[in-house]
Amino acid sequence: MKDEAHILSKISRIGLLVFLVSLFNPGRSIAHPLDEFYQVTFITVGTNQADFTVELYPGVLVAPQVLTLLDADGDDRISEEEAQAYAETFVNDLVVEVDGTTVNPTIERTEIPPPLEIRAGVGVIRLSLRADLPPATGAHRLFYENNHFADRGIYIVNAISDDPEQVEISNQNRDVFQKSVVLD
């Protein structure tokens, strides 16, 4: 009961914010991200691995589609098995390559909020992925592309080095939608 009151309080604050924005900027409020699925990826490149921290923010109108994948049995609870299955679906929607060779990320951690938070548009799905990189010296190229919910996705991707003395990212080329990035 206490959790539901907290969630309803969040929803009320978000609703108030949306209302106030629409009062002061009515033309912009029509494009509110209720029907979008924000997907933010942070890539940390090391000498022998790349870590991917992914945060997924389903809008209220996208939430039912996301919940269909998350809560496969429809019991309004997301089990560990269902969370793992969703994470695997997400990973299958990725393309990761190093020097043209496909690399398959593994799932390190999955954090799924309760269905009520996802429906309310305040739930954030967090995934931690890791990809082993082939041993190498010299210049290399890492390619990352996120194709998850491509019809509703709004993407952001950025990368850093975990040890700038060992790994220097000299260039980040993102596509215009930030679904993909090429790292040199």
PDB file of all heavy atoms in Angstrom, residues 146-175:
ATOM      1  N   ASN A 146      21.589  -0.481 -31.713  1.00  0.00           N
ATOM      2  CA  ASN A 146      20.442  -0.890 -30.914  1.00  0.00           C
ATOM      3  C   ASN A 146      19.204  -0.862 -31.809  1.00  0.00           C
ATOM      4  O   ASN A 146      18.824   0.189 -32.311  1.00  0.00           O
ATOM      5  CB  ASN A 146      20.270   0.081 -29.733  1.00  0.00           C
ATOM      6  CG  ASN A 146      19.091  -0.255 -28.858  1.00  0.00           C
ATOM      7  OD1 ASN A 146      18.268  -1.099 -29.180  1.00  0.00           O
ATOM      8  ND2 ASN A 146      19.005   0.424 -27.734  1.00  0.00           N
ATOM      9  N   ASN A 147      18.587  -2.016 -32.005  1.00  0.00           N
ATOM     10  CA  ASN A 147      17.380  -2.126 -32.833  1.00  0.00           C
ATOM     11  C   ASN A 147      16.142  -2.498 -32.017  1.00  0.00           C
ATOM     12  O   ASN A 147      15.149  -2.945 -32.576  1.00  0.00           O
ATOM     13  CB  ASN A 147      17.613  -3.177 -33.931  1.00  0.00           C
ATOM     14  CG  ASN A 147      18.696  -2.746 -34.872  1.00  0.00           C
ATOM     15  OD1 ASN A 147      18.622  -1.690 -35.475  1.00  0.00           O
ATOM     16  ND2 ASN A 147      19.752  -3.553 -34.971  1.00  0.00           N
ATOM     17  N   HIS A 148      16.215  -2.296 -30.703  1.00  0.00           N
ATOM     18  CA  HIS A 148      15.106  -2.667 -29.829  1.00  0.00           C
ATOM     19  C   HIS A 148      13.978  -1.638 -29.972  1.00  0.00           C
ATOM     20  O   HIS A 148      14.198  -0.445 -29.844  1.00  0.00           O
ATOM     21  CB  HIS A 148      15.606  -2.723 -28.384  1.00  0.00           C
ATOM     22  CG  HIS A 148      14.651  -3.329 -27.421  1.00  0.00           C
ATOM     23  ND1 HIS A 148      14.186  -4.618 -27.540  1.00  0.00           N
ATOM     24  CD2 HIS A 148      14.056  -2.822 -26.316  1.00  0.00           C
ATOM     25  CE1 HIS A 148      13.371  -4.882 -26.552  1.00  0.00           C
ATOM     26  NE2 HIS A 148      13.256  -3.811 -25.797  1.00  0.00           N
ATOM     27  N   PHE A 149      12.766  -2.109 -30.252  1.00  0.00           N
ATOM     28  CA  PHE A 149      11.590  -1.249 -30.464  1.00  0.00           C
ATOM     29  C   PHE A 149      11.917  -0.134 -31.457  1.00  0.00           C
ATOM     30  O   PHE A 149      11.658   1.048 -31.200  1.00  0.00           O
ATOM     31  CB  PHE A 149      11.084  -0.659 -29.146  1.00  0.00           C
ATOM     32  CG  PHE A 149      10.135  -1.551 -28.407  1.00  0.00           C
ATOM     33  CD1 PHE A 149      10.597  -2.610 -27.649  1.00  0.00           C
ATOM     34  CD2 PHE A 149       8.768  -1.336 -28.476  1.00  0.00           C
ATOM     35  CE1 PHE A 149       9.723  -3.442 -26.965  1.00  0.00           C
ATOM     36  CE2 PHE A 149       7.889  -2.157 -27.798  1.00  0.00           C
ATOM     37  CZ  PHE A 149       8.366  -3.223 -27.040  1.00  0.00           C
ATOM     38  N   ALA A 150      12.446  -0.517 -32.589  1.00  0.00           N
ATOM     39  CA  ALA A 150      12.910   0.461 -33.579  1.00  0.00           C
ATOM     40  C   ALA A 150      11.817   1.421 -34.044  1.00  0.00           C
ATOM     41  O   ALA A 150      12.100   2.564 -34.393  1.00  0.00           O
ATOM     42  CB  ALA A 150      13.524  -0.258 -34.777  1.00  0.00           C
ATOM     43  N   ASP A 151      10.560   0.985 -34.014  1.00  0.00           N
ATOM     44  CA  ASP A 151       9.474   1.857 -34.472  1.00  0.00           C
ATOM     45  C   ASP A 151       9.101   2.930 -33.452  1.00  0.00           C
ATOM     46  O   ASP A 151       8.489   3.934 -33.804  1.00  0.00           O
ATOM     47  CB  ASP A 151       8.244   1.036 -34.838  1.00  0.00           C
ATOM     48  CG  ASP A 151       7.686   0.239 -33.674  1.00  0.00           C
ATOM     49  OD1 ASP A 151       8.469  -0.140 -32.774  1.00  0.00           O
ATOM     50  OD2 ASP A 151       6.466  -0.009 -33.655  1.00  0.00           O
ATOM     51  N   ARG A 152       9.473   2.756 -32.188  1.00  0.00           N
ATOM     52  CA  ARG A 152       9.115   3.718 -31.138  1.00  0.00           C
ATOM     53  C   ARG A 152      10.338   4.228 -30.371  1.00  0.00           C
ATOM     54  O   ARG A 152      10.205   5.013 -29.456  1.00  0.00           O
ATOM     55  CB  ARG A 152       8.170   3.078 -30.116  1.00  0.00           C
ATOM     56  CG  ARG A 152       6.838   2.657 -30.655  1.00  0.00           C
ATOM     57  CD  ARG A 152       5.943   3.875 -30.836  1.00  0.00           C
ATOM     58  NE  ARG A 152       4.630   3.494 -31.266  1.00  0.00           N
ATOM     59  CZ  ARG A 152       3.557   3.527 -30.518  1.00  0.00           C
ATOM     60  NH1 ARG A 152       3.624   3.927 -29.287  1.00  0.00           N
ATOM     61  NH2 ARG A 152       2.390   3.178 -31.005  1.00  0.00           N
ATOM     62  N   GLY A 153      11.515   3.732 -30.715  1.00  0.00           N
ATOM     63  CA  GLY A 153      12.708   4.053 -29.940  1.00  0.00           C
ATOM     64  C   GLY A 153      13.262   5.440 -30.203  1.00  0.00           C
ATOM     65  O   GLY A 153      13.260   5.929 -31.324  1.00  0.00           O
ATOM     66  N   ILE A 154      13.702   6.063 -29.136  1.00  0.00           N
ATOM     67  CA  ILE A 154      14.479   7.296 -29.173  1.00  0.00           C
ATOM     68  C   ILE A 154      15.785   6.927 -28.466  1.00  0.00           C
ATOM     69  O   ILE A 154      15.764   6.494 -27.314  1.00  0.00           O
ATOM     70  CB  ILE A 154      13.776   8.446 -28.416  1.00  0.00           C
ATOM     71  CG1 ILE A 154      12.392   8.701 -28.993  1.00  0.00           C
ATOM     72  CG2 ILE A 154      14.639   9.695 -28.416  1.00  0.00           C
ATOM     73  CD1 ILE A 154      12.369   9.223 -30.415  1.00  0.00           C
ATOM     74  N   TYR A 155      16.898   7.083 -29.170  1.00  0.00           N
ATOM     75  CA  TYR A 155      18.147   6.511 -28.690  1.00  0.00           C
ATOM     76  C   TYR A 155      19.181   7.577 -28.337  1.00  0.00           C
ATOM     77  O   TYR A 155      19.233   8.629 -28.974  1.00  0.00           O
ATOM     78  CB  TYR A 155      18.741   5.593 -29.763  1.00  0.00           C
ATOM     79  CG  TYR A 155      17.785   4.531 -30.225  1.00  0.00           C
ATOM     80  CD1 TYR A 155      16.927   4.751 -31.300  1.00  0.00           C
ATOM     81  CD2 TYR A 155      17.721   3.311 -29.576  1.00  0.00           C
ATOM     82  CE1 TYR A 155      16.037   3.781 -31.717  1.00  0.00           C
ATOM     83  CE2 TYR A 155      16.827   2.327 -29.987  1.00  0.00           C
ATOM     84  CZ  TYR A 155      15.990   2.571 -31.060  1.00  0.00           C
ATOM     85  OH  TYR A 155      15.104   1.616 -31.469  1.00  0.00           O
ATOM     86  N   ILE A 156      19.999   7.237 -27.353  1.00  0.00           N
ATOM     87  CA  ILE A 156      21.168   8.032 -27.006  1.00  0.00           C
ATOM     88  C   ILE A 156      22.281   7.035 -26.721  1.00  0.00           C
ATOM     89  O   ILE A 156      22.061   6.034 -26.023  1.00  0.00           O
ATOM     90  CB  ILE A 156      20.929   8.920 -25.765  1.00  0.00           C
ATOM     91  CG1 ILE A 156      19.809   9.918 -26.044  1.00  0.00           C
ATOM     92  CG2 ILE A 156      22.205   9.644 -25.351  1.00  0.00           C
ATOM     93  CD1 ILE A 156      19.386  10.716 -24.825  1.00  0.00           C
ATOM     94  N   VAL A 157      23.457   7.278 -27.263  1.00  0.00           N
ATOM     95  CA  VAL A 157      24.587   6.389 -27.014  1.00  0.00           C
ATOM     96  C   VAL A 157      25.844   7.230 -26.839  1.00  0.00           C
ATOM     97  O   VAL A 157      26.024   8.239 -27.517  1.00  0.00           O
ATOM     98  CB  VAL A 157      24.761   5.343 -28.152  1.00  0.00           C
ATOM     99  CG1 VAL A 157      25.047   6.002 -29.488  1.00  0.00           C
ATOM    100  CG2 VAL A 157      25.821   4.319 -27.795  1.00  0.00           C
ATOM    101  N   ASN A 158      26.665   6.828 -25.866  1.00  0.00           N
ATOM    102  CA  ASN A 158      27.918   7.527 -25.602  1.00  0.00           C
ATOM    103  C   ASN A 158      28.923   6.515 -25.082  1.00  0.00           C
ATOM    104  O   ASN A 158      28.545   5.466 -24.569  1.00  0.00           O
ATOM    105  CB  ASN A 158      27.712   8.648 -24.582  1.00  0.00           C
ATOM    106  CG  ASN A 158      28.763   9.723 -24.709  1.00  0.00           C
ATOM    107  OD1 ASN A 158      29.702   9.613 -25.503  1.00  0.00           O
ATOM    108  ND2 ASN A 158      28.631  10.773 -23.927  1.00  0.00           N
ATOM    109  N   ALA A 159      30.199   6.832 -25.222  1.00  0.00           N
ATOM    110  CA  ALA A 159      31.240   5.897 -24.805  1.00  0.00           C
ATOM    111  C   ALA A 159      32.383   6.623 -24.119  1.00  0.00           C
ATOM    112  O   ALA A 159      32.670   7.792 -24.420  1.00  0.00           O
ATOM    113  CB  ALA A 159      31.771   5.135 -26.013  1.00  0.00           C
ATOM    114  N   ILE A 160      33.015   5.899 -23.195  1.00  0.00           N
ATOM    115  CA  ILE A 160      34.216   6.385 -22.520  1.00  0.00           C
ATOM    116  C   ILE A 160      35.185   5.214 -22.389  1.00  0.00           C
ATOM    117  O   ILE A 160      34.816   4.055 -22.558  1.00  0.00           O
ATOM    118  CB  ILE A 160      33.918   6.969 -21.116  1.00  0.00           C
ATOM    119  CG1 ILE A 160      33.304   5.892 -20.195  1.00  0.00           C
ATOM    120  CG2 ILE A 160      33.031   8.191 -21.194  1.00  0.00           C
ATOM    121  CD1 ILE A 160      33.184   6.316 -18.744  1.00  0.00           C
ATOM    122  N   SER A 161      36.413   5.538 -22.068  1.00  0.00           N
ATOM    123  CA  SER A 161      37.424   4.520 -21.811  1.00  0.00           C
ATOM    124  C   SER A 161      37.510   4.285 -20.318  1.00  0.00           C
ATOM    125  O   SER A 161      37.438   5.228 -19.533  1.00  0.00           O
ATOM    126  CB  SER A 161      38.778   5.001 -22.342  1.00  0.00           C
ATOM    127  OG  SER A 161      39.806   4.150 -21.895  1.00  0.00           O
ATOM    128  N   ASP A 162      37.694   3.025 -19.921  1.00  0.00           N
ATOM    129  CA  ASP A 162      37.851   2.758 -18.488  1.00  0.00           C
ATOM    130  C   ASP A 162      39.279   3.020 -18.023  1.00  0.00           C
ATOM    131  O   ASP A 162      39.544   3.127 -16.838  1.00  0.00           O
ATOM    132  CB  ASP A 162      37.377   1.355 -18.115  1.00  0.00           C
ATOM    133  CG  ASP A 162      38.326   0.251 -18.539  1.00  0.00           C
ATOM    134  OD1 ASP A 162      39.209   0.490 -19.377  1.00  0.00           O
ATOM    135  OD2 ASP A 162      38.161  -0.883 -18.040  1.00  0.00           O
ATOM    136  N   ASP A 163      40.209   3.125 -18.972  1.00  0.00           N
ATOM    137  CA  ASP A 163      41.607   3.415 -18.654  1.00  0.00           C
ATOM    138  C   ASP A 163      42.211   4.195 -19.824  1.00  0.00           C
ATOM    139  O   ASP A 163      42.779   3.602 -20.749  1.00  0.00           O
ATOM    140  CB  ASP A 163      42.376   2.115 -18.415  1.00  0.00           C
ATOM    141  CG  ASP A 163      43.816   2.349 -18.003  1.00  0.00           C
ATOM    142  OD1 ASP A 163      44.252   3.519 -17.913  1.00  0.00           O
ATOM    143  OD2 ASP A 163      44.522   1.346 -17.772  1.00  0.00           O
ATOM    144  N   PRO A 164      42.095   5.535 -19.805  1.00  0.00           N
ATOM    145  CA  PRO A 164      42.542   6.351 -20.939  1.00  0.00           C
ATOM    146  C   PRO A 164      44.024   6.177 -21.297  1.00  0.00           C
ATOM    147  O   PRO A 164      44.422   6.455 -22.421  1.00  0.00           O
ATOM    148  CB  PRO A 164      42.263   7.788 -20.493  1.00  0.00           C
ATOM    149  CG  PRO A 164      41.211   7.657 -19.446  1.00  0.00           C
ATOM    150  CD  PRO A 164      41.458   6.338 -18.778  1.00  0.00           C
ATOM    151  N   GLU A 165      44.839   5.694 -20.357  1.00  0.00           N
ATOM    152  CA  GLU A 165      46.247   5.459 -20.680  1.00  0.00           C
ATOM    153  C   GLU A 165      46.422   4.219 -21.551  1.00  0.00           C
ATOM    154  O   GLU A 165      47.383   4.111 -22.304  1.00  0.00           O
ATOM    155  CB  GLU A 165      47.073   5.334 -19.405  1.00  0.00           C
ATOM    156  CG  GLU A 165      47.185   6.655 -18.661  1.00  0.00           C
ATOM    157  CD  GLU A 165      48.031   6.543 -17.409  1.00  0.00           C
ATOM    158  OE1 GLU A 165      48.780   5.549 -17.271  1.00  0.00           O
ATOM    159  OE2 GLU A 165      47.931   7.445 -16.568  1.00  0.00           O
ATOM    160  N   GLN A 166      45.494   3.269 -21.428  1.00  0.00           N
ATOM    161  CA  GLN A 166      45.567   2.029 -22.202  1.00  0.00           C
ATOM    162  C   GLN A 166      44.656   2.051 -23.435  1.00  0.00           C
ATOM    163  O   GLN A 166      44.998   1.481 -24.463  1.00  0.00           O
ATOM    164  CB  GLN A 166      45.185   0.835 -21.323  1.00  0.00           C
ATOM    165  CG  GLN A 166      46.108   0.593 -20.158  1.00  0.00           C
ATOM    166  CD  GLN A 166      47.479   0.141 -20.617  1.00  0.00           C
ATOM    167  OE1 GLN A 166      47.595  -0.673 -21.527  1.00  0.00           O
ATOM    168  NE2 GLN A 166      48.515   0.680 -20.012  1.00  0.00           N
ATOM    169  N   VAL A 167      43.489   2.671 -23.295  1.00  0.00           N
ATOM    170  CA  VAL A 167      42.505   2.691 -24.384  1.00  0.00           C
ATOM    171  C   VAL A 167      42.077   4.129 -24.621  1.00  0.00           C
ATOM    172  O   VAL A 167      41.498   4.773 -23.751  1.00  0.00           O
ATOM    173  CB  VAL A 167      41.263   1.832 -24.029  1.00  0.00           C
ATOM    174  CG1 VAL A 167      40.218   1.923 -25.136  1.00  0.00           C
ATOM    175  CG2 VAL A 167      41.647   0.395 -23.765  1.00  0.00           C
ATOM    176  N   GLU A 168      42.367   4.618 -25.808  1.00  0.00           N
ATOM    177  CA  GLU A 168      41.961   5.971 -26.186  1.00  0.00           C
ATOM    178  C   GLU A 168      40.866   5.875 -27.242  1.00  0.00           C
ATOM    179  O   GLU A 168      41.036   5.198 -28.262  1.00  0.00           O
ATOM    180  CB  GLU A 168      43.143   6.745 -26.770  1.00  0.00           C
ATOM    181  CG  GLU A 168      42.744   8.113 -27.270  1.00  0.00           C
ATOM    182  CD  GLU A 168      43.872   8.803 -28.028  1.00  0.00           C
ATOM    183  OE1 GLU A 168      45.016   8.317 -27.996  1.00  0.00           O
ATOM    184  OE2 GLU A 168      43.588   9.832 -28.660  1.00  0.00           O
ATOM    185  N   ILE A 169      39.742   6.504 -26.971  1.00  0.00           N
ATOM    186  CA  ILE A 169      38.679   6.584 -27.970  1.00  0.00           C
ATOM    187  C   ILE A 169      38.931   7.863 -28.753  1.00  0.00           C
ATOM    188  O   ILE A 169      38.719   8.965 -28.261  1.00  0.00           O
ATOM    189  CB  ILE A 169      37.281   6.582 -27.315  1.00  0.00           C
ATOM    190  CG1 ILE A 169      37.080   5.284 -26.533  1.00  0.00           C
ATOM    191  CG2 ILE A 169      36.200   6.759 -28.374  1.00  0.00           C
ATOM    192  CD1 ILE A 169      35.805   5.226 -25.739  1.00  0.00           C
ATOM    193  N   SER A 170      39.427   7.695 -29.973  1.00  0.00           N
ATOM    194  CA  SER A 170      39.818   8.863 -30.760  1.00  0.00           C
ATOM    195  C   SER A 170      38.662   9.464 -31.542  1.00  0.00           C
ATOM    196  O   SER A 170      38.718  10.621 -31.933  1.00  0.00           O
ATOM    197  CB  SER A 170      40.951   8.490 -31.721  1.00  0.00           C
ATOM    198  OG  SER A 170      40.529   7.457 -32.602  1.00  0.00           O
ATOM    199  N   ASN A 171      37.594   8.666 -31.749  1.00  0.00           N
ATOM    200  CA  ASN A 171      36.485   9.160 -32.555  1.00  0.00           C
ATOM    201  C   ASN A 171      35.212   8.390 -32.217  1.00  0.00           C
ATOM    202  O   ASN A 171      35.256   7.183 -32.028  1.00  0.00           O
ATOM    203  CB  ASN A 171      36.831   8.984 -34.041  1.00  0.00           C
ATOM    204  CG  ASN A 171      35.975   9.839 -34.937  1.00  0.00           C
ATOM    205  OD1 ASN A 171      35.378  10.806 -34.503  1.00  0.00           O
ATOM    206  ND2 ASN A 171      35.914   9.465 -36.194  1.00  0.00           N
ATOM    207  N   GLN A 172      34.089   9.116 -32.128  1.00  0.00           N
ATOM    208  CA  GLN A 172      32.771   8.504 -31.957  1.00  0.00           C
ATOM    209  C   GLN A 172      31.876   9.028 -33.068  1.00  0.00           C
ATOM    210  O   GLN A 172      31.564  10.212 -33.102  1.00  0.00           O
ATOM    211  CB  GLN A 172      32.151   8.880 -30.602  1.00  0.00           C
ATOM    212  CG  GLN A 172      32.892   8.352 -29.407  1.00  0.00           C
ATOM    213  CD  GLN A 172      32.132   8.594 -28.111  1.00  0.00           C
ATOM    214  OE1 GLN A 172      30.929   8.376 -28.035  1.00  0.00           O
ATOM    215  NE2 GLN A 172      32.853   9.030 -27.077  1.00  0.00           N
ATOM    216  N   ASN A 173      31.490   8.158 -33.970  1.00  0.00           N
ATOM    217  CA  ASN A 173      30.586   8.539 -35.055  1.00  0.00           C
ATOM    218  C   ASN A 173      29.235   7.895 -34.822  1.00  0.00           C
ATOM    219  O   ASN A 173      29.091   6.675 -34.920  1.00  0.00           O
ATOM    220  CB  ASN A 173      31.141   8.074 -36.416  1.00  0.00           C
ATOM    221  CG  ASN A 173      32.342   8.871 -36.833  1.00  0.00           C
ATOM    222  OD1 ASN A 173      32.340  10.086 -36.726  1.00  0.00           O
ATOM    223  ND2 ASN A 173      33.380   8.184 -37.295  1.00  0.00           N
ATOM    224  N   ARG A 174      28.241   8.728 -34.503  1.00  0.00           N
ATOM    225  CA  ARG A 174      26.877   8.244 -34.270  1.00  0.00           C
ATOM    226  C   ARG A 174      26.035   8.497 -35.516  1.00  0.00           C
ATOM    227  O   ARG A 174      26.248   9.491 -36.203  1.00  0.00           O
ATOM    228  CB  ARG A 174      26.238   8.997 -33.100  1.00  0.00           C
ATOM    229  CG  ARG A 174      26.889   8.764 -31.775  1.00  0.00           C
ATOM    230  CD  ARG A 174      26.349   9.774 -30.740  1.00  0.00           C
ATOM    231  NE  ARG A 174      27.155   9.787 -29.569  1.00  0.00           N
ATOM    232  CZ  ARG A 174      28.317  10.439 -29.443  1.00  0.00           C
ATOM    233  NH1 ARG A 174      28.792  11.146 -30.439  1.00  0.00           N
ATOM    234  NH2 ARG A 174      29.004  10.380 -28.327  1.00  0.00           N
ATOM    235  N   ASP A 175      25.059   7.619 -35.745  1.00  0.00           N
ATOM    236  CA  ASP A 175      24.106   7.928 -36.800  1.00  0.00           C
ATOM    237  C   ASP A 175      23.191   9.037 -36.284  1.00  0.00           C
ATOM    238  O   ASP A 175      23.184   9.357 -35.089  1.00  0.00           O
ATOM    239  CB  ASP A 175      23.327   6.689 -37.234  1.00  0.00           C
ATOM    240  CG  ASP A 175      22.292   6.247 -36.229  1.00  0.00           C
ATOM    241  OD1 ASP A 175      22.629   6.102 -35.036  1.00  0.00           O
ATOM    242  OD2 ASP A 175      21.147   6.033 -36.632  1.00  0.00           O
TER     243      ASP A 175
END
